[in-house]
């Protein structure tokens, strides 16, 4: 399995569009790993986790052939994770000169599916288009995609909709992709019990700052999740634990996050970071 973090920032990105805080000003000057676009991750070059509003930049930056995408799994409908209008650019009607009507399958909650269809209706006057198919994802129900098995798991994020994190499996490689979410429910650990994870990717929106909202995480919540996963028998000596979805509210550069998180055994992800398993 191969995963690539295309974007590792929260909704506002780093530097944020209109912000003049010290973290944003330093990131704009230093660039490199301190620049964070909105969160999205590519698995095996064919499964996209969330459609970031920065997808076009990601295509250019990482020389991506997005025609090879087979499916998109959307965590939730918030605009930094689901740019539904971008999907209309795949339609052969105007924007995409393709040689096949192979549709892209998009999995998400009911709001994601509705918003996606509404974008096509707004653009072309009809909800259905041969280029994209929207399918309802169900908690703990397997999605099969060639060599990958993907399982949506309930997140703790926006109570107005069913938000998901995802468990992704290929052979003996198993990754838990967990943003946007706060602390996970007991039913999640019951489901994961005994599953040996190769990678745990955690929301770390607030870094080392205390967050009281409960719908995102910082390092304190990350460590609590890691402890629960240990107790559930999910971690091995080779399990990689990463933190992603950073906000400028962390008030830290990438180097500072890397050092502090490293002390806790967690790797700070960056835009373009790639991980591979045989």
């Amino acid at each position: 399995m191969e995963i690539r973090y295309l974007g590792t920032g929260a909704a506002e990105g780093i530097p944020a569009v209109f912000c003049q805080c010290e973290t944003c000003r330093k990131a704009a000057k230093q660039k490199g790993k301190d620049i964070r676009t909105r969160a999205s991750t590519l698995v095996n070059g064919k499964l996209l986790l969330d459609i970031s509003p920065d997808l076009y930049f990601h295509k250019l930056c990482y020389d991506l052939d997005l025609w090879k995408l087979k499916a998109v799994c959307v965590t939730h409908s918030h605009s930094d994770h689901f740019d539904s209008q971008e999907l209309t650019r795949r339609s052969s009607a105007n924007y995409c000169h393709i040689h096949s009507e192979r549709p892209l399958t998009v999995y998400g909650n009911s709001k994601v599916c509705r918003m996606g269809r509404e974008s096509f209706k707004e653009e072309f006057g009809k909800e259905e288009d041969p280029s994209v198919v929207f399918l309802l994802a169900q908690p703990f129900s397997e999605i099969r995609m060639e060599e990958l098995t993907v399982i949506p798991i309930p997140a703790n994020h926006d109570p107005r909709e069913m938000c998901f994190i995802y468990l992704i499996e290929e052979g003996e490689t198993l990754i838990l992709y967990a943003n946007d979410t706060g602390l996970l429910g007991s039913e999640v650990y019951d489901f994961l019990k005994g599953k040996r994870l190769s990678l745990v990717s955690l929301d770390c929106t607030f870094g080392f700052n205390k967050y009281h909202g409960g719908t995102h995480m910082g390092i304190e919540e990350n460590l609590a999740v890691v402890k629960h996963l240990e107790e559930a028998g999910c971690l091995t000596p080779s399990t990689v634990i990463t933190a992603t979805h950073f906000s400028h509210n962390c008030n830290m550069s990438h180097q500072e996050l890397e050092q502090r998180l490293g002390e806790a055994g967690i790797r700070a992800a960056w835009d373009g970071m790639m991980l591979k398993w045989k």
Side-chain angles (χ1 to χ4, degrees), residues 208 219 223 226 241 258-267:
F208 287 82
I219 184 60
L223 293 176
V226 169
I241 301 171
E258 196 170 48
Q259 179 179 344
R260 292 285 303 277
L261 288 167
E263 294 169 358
I266 299 175
R267 296 178 64 179

Side-chain angles (χ1 to χ4, degrees), residues 12-13 24 33 40 43 47 55 92 98 102 115 155 183 205 222 228 233 246 264 270:
E12 67 281 352
C24 288
K33 293 178 181 178
S40 181
V43 182
L47 169 63
L55 182 62
S92 59
I98 58 178
R102 174 176 63 80
M115 287 175 59
L183 292 172
T205 304
N222 286 178
H228 282 301
F246 297 106
W270 65 87

Side-chain angles (χ1 to χ4, degrees), residues 59-269:
K59 171 186 170 68
L60 298 179
C61 189
Y62 306 118
D63 195 25
L64 303 179
D65 183 357
L66 296 175
W67 173 246
K68 293 180 179 178
L69 282 179
K70 298 296 179 64
V72 180
C73 287
V74 181
T75 56
H76 62 301
S77 72
H78 292 178
S79 61
D80 56 319
H81 292 265
F82 185 52
D83 184 357
S84 59
Q85 193 65 32
E86 196 69 76
L87 288 169
T88 68
R89 312 295 183 230
R90 197 179 188 277
S91 174
S92 59
N94 291 301
Y95 299 120
C96 182
H97 296 181
I98 58 178
H99 305 289
S100 163
E101 293 299 330
R102 174 176 63 80
L104 176 67
T105 306
V106 179
Y107 297 92
N109 63 33
S110 58
K111 187 175 181 180
V112 164
C113 292
R114 184 179 74 252
M115 287 175 59
R117 294 188 182 104
E118 287 174 351
S119 290
F120 276 91
K121 185 174 182 179
E122 180 180 338
E123 191 74 15
F124 303 118
K126 57 181 181 178
E127 291 187 353
E128 302 301 325
D129 189 276
S131 65
V132 178
V133 174
F134 296 96
L135 295 180
L136 187 64
Q138 300 285 1
F140 305 113
S141 181
E142 289 187 356
I143 298 168
R144 299 279 185 169
M145 195 199 74
E146 296 184 346
E147 75 277 12
L148 299 174
T149 299
V150 183
I151 303 176
I153 296 174
N156 177 13
H157 187 52
D158 187 339
R160 297 170 297 178
E161 62 182 287
M162 172 61 76
C163 301
F164 294 119
I165 59 176
Y166 286 99
L167 185 69
I168 305 163
E169 180 179 7
E170 181 188 7
E172 295 183 358
T173 303
L174 199 60
I175 70 173
L176 180 65
Y177 185 77
N179 62 276
D180 293 8
T181 187
L183 292 172
L184 303 173
S186 59
E187 75 279 5
V188 174
Y189 297 109
D190 290 341
F191 174 76
L192 293 174
K193 188 172 183 179
K195 291 180 170 61
R196 312 290 267 181
L197 299 173
S198 305
L199 169 69
V200 179
S201 179
L202 297 174
D203 179 300
C204 196
T205 304
F206 287 86
F208 287 82
N209 291 327
K210 185 69 177 177
Y211 174 57
H212 300 283
T215 59
H216 283 289
M217 288 193 276
I219 184 60
E220 182 178 326
E221 291 81 9
N222 286 178
L223 293 176
V225 170
V226 169
K227 181 179 180 181
H228 282 301
L229 290 173
E230 285 177 337
E231 293 171 349
C234 298
L235 305 184
T236 73
S238 61
T239 301
V240 177
I241 301 171
T242 61
T244 185
H245 200 273
F246 297 106
S247 165
H248 60 168
N249 295 303
C250 291
N251 300 322
M252 284 188 177
S253 67
H254 175 79
Q255 185 177 17
E256 291 168 332
L257 283 167
E258 196 170 48
Q259 179 179 344
R260 292 285 303 277
L261 288 167
E263 294 169 358
I266 299 175
R267 296 178 64 179

